[in-house]
PDB file of all heavy atoms in Angstrom:
ATOM      1  N   ILE A 398      16.629  -7.335  52.236  1.00 97.00           N
ATOM      2  CA  ILE A 398      15.954  -7.678  53.488  1.00 97.00           C
ATOM      3  C   ILE A 398      14.462  -7.699  53.207  1.00 97.00           C
ATOM      4  O   ILE A 398      13.908  -6.708  52.735  1.00 97.00           O
ATOM      5  CB  ILE A 398      16.279  -6.657  54.587  1.00 97.00           C
ATOM      6  CG1 ILE A 398      17.790  -6.580  54.839  1.00 97.00           C
ATOM      7  CG2 ILE A 398      15.536  -6.981  55.875  1.00 97.00           C
ATOM      8  CD1 ILE A 398      18.214  -5.374  55.653  1.00 97.00           C
ATOM      9  N   ARG A 447       2.205   1.336  64.455  1.00 96.00           N
ATOM     10  CA  ARG A 447       1.853   1.756  65.807  1.00 96.00           C
ATOM     11  C   ARG A 447       2.443   3.118  66.128  1.00 96.00           C
ATOM     12  O   ARG A 447       1.945   3.847  66.982  1.00 96.00           O
ATOM     13  CB  ARG A 447       2.331   0.718  66.821  1.00 96.00           C
ATOM     14  CG  ARG A 447       1.546  -0.595  66.771  1.00 96.00           C
ATOM     15  CD  ARG A 447       2.135  -1.623  67.699  1.00 96.00           C
ATOM     16  NE  ARG A 447       3.487  -2.025  67.273  1.00 96.00           N
ATOM     17  CZ  ARG A 447       4.256  -2.895  67.908  1.00 96.00           C
ATOM     18  NH1 ARG A 447       3.827  -3.443  69.038  1.00 96.00           N
ATOM     19  NH2 ARG A 447       5.442  -3.214  67.448  1.00 96.00           N
ATOM     20  N   GLU A 524     -24.440  32.033  53.578  1.00 96.00           N
ATOM     21  CA  GLU A 524     -23.973  31.610  52.256  1.00 96.00           C
ATOM     22  C   GLU A 524     -22.818  32.447  51.751  1.00 96.00           C
ATOM     23  O   GLU A 524     -21.963  31.970  51.021  1.00 96.00           O
ATOM     24  CB  GLU A 524     -25.131  31.671  51.262  1.00 96.00           C
ATOM     25  CG  GLU A 524     -24.820  31.015  49.928  1.00 96.00           C
ATOM     26  CD  GLU A 524     -26.052  30.893  49.065  1.00 96.00           C
ATOM     27  OE1 GLU A 524     -27.137  31.325  49.493  1.00 96.00           O
ATOM     28  OE2 GLU A 524     -25.933  30.354  47.956  1.00 96.00           O
ATOM     29  N   ARG A 537     -16.763  37.623  72.520  1.00 97.00           N
ATOM     30  CA  ARG A 537     -17.224  36.382  73.169  1.00 97.00           C
ATOM     31  C   ARG A 537     -17.469  35.284  72.152  1.00 97.00           C
ATOM     32  O   ARG A 537     -17.228  34.113  72.425  1.00 97.00           O
ATOM     33  CB  ARG A 537     -18.495  36.667  73.963  1.00 97.00           C
ATOM     34  CG  ARG A 537     -18.993  35.502  74.813  1.00 97.00           C
ATOM     35  CD  ARG A 537     -20.072  35.987  75.769  1.00 97.00           C
ATOM     36  NE  ARG A 537     -20.505  34.921  76.659  1.00 97.00           N
ATOM     37  CZ  ARG A 537     -21.723  34.388  76.647  1.00 97.00           C
ATOM     38  NH1 ARG A 537     -22.645  34.840  75.790  1.00 97.00           N
ATOM     39  NH2 ARG A 537     -22.042  33.423  77.494  1.00 97.00           N
ATOM     40  N   ALA A 628     -15.987  10.400  73.042  1.00 95.00           N
ATOM     41  CA  ALA A 628     -16.182  10.083  74.457  1.00 95.00           C
ATOM     42  C   ALA A 628     -16.842   8.728  74.652  1.00 95.00           C
ATOM     43  O   ALA A 628     -16.552   8.016  75.623  1.00 95.00           O
ATOM     44  CB  ALA A 628     -17.021  11.176  75.122  1.00 95.00           C
ATOM     45  N   PRO A 665      23.364  14.863  58.500  1.00 98.00           N
ATOM     46  CA  PRO A 665      22.090  14.679  57.808  1.00 98.00           C
ATOM     47  C   PRO A 665      21.883  13.228  57.392  1.00 98.00           C
ATOM     48  O   PRO A 665      22.830  12.437  57.320  1.00 98.00           O
ATOM     49  CB  PRO A 665      22.239  15.579  56.578  1.00 98.00           C
ATOM     50  CG  PRO A 665      23.715  15.632  56.329  1.00 98.00           C
ATOM     51  CD  PRO A 665      24.362  15.574  57.689  1.00 98.00           C
ATOM     52  N   GLU A 894      16.701  30.806  41.075  1.00 98.00           N
ATOM     53  CA  GLU A 894      17.014  29.784  40.066  1.00 98.00           C
ATOM     54  C   GLU A 894      16.019  28.624  40.094  1.00 98.00           C
ATOM     55  O   GLU A 894      16.410  27.451  40.023  1.00 98.00           O
ATOM     56  CB  GLU A 894      18.437  29.259  40.267  1.00 98.00           C
ATOM     57  CG  GLU A 894      19.491  30.335  40.119  1.00 98.00           C
ATOM     58  CD  GLU A 894      20.860  29.851  40.524  1.00 98.00           C
ATOM     59  OE1 GLU A 894      21.321  28.840  39.960  1.00 98.00           O
ATOM     60  OE2 GLU A 894      21.471  30.488  41.417  1.00 98.00           O
TER      61      GLU A 894
END
Side-chain angles (χ1 to χ4, degrees):
I398 301 166
R447 290 175 295 179
E524 191 171 1
R537 187 168 184 246
E894 299 171 56

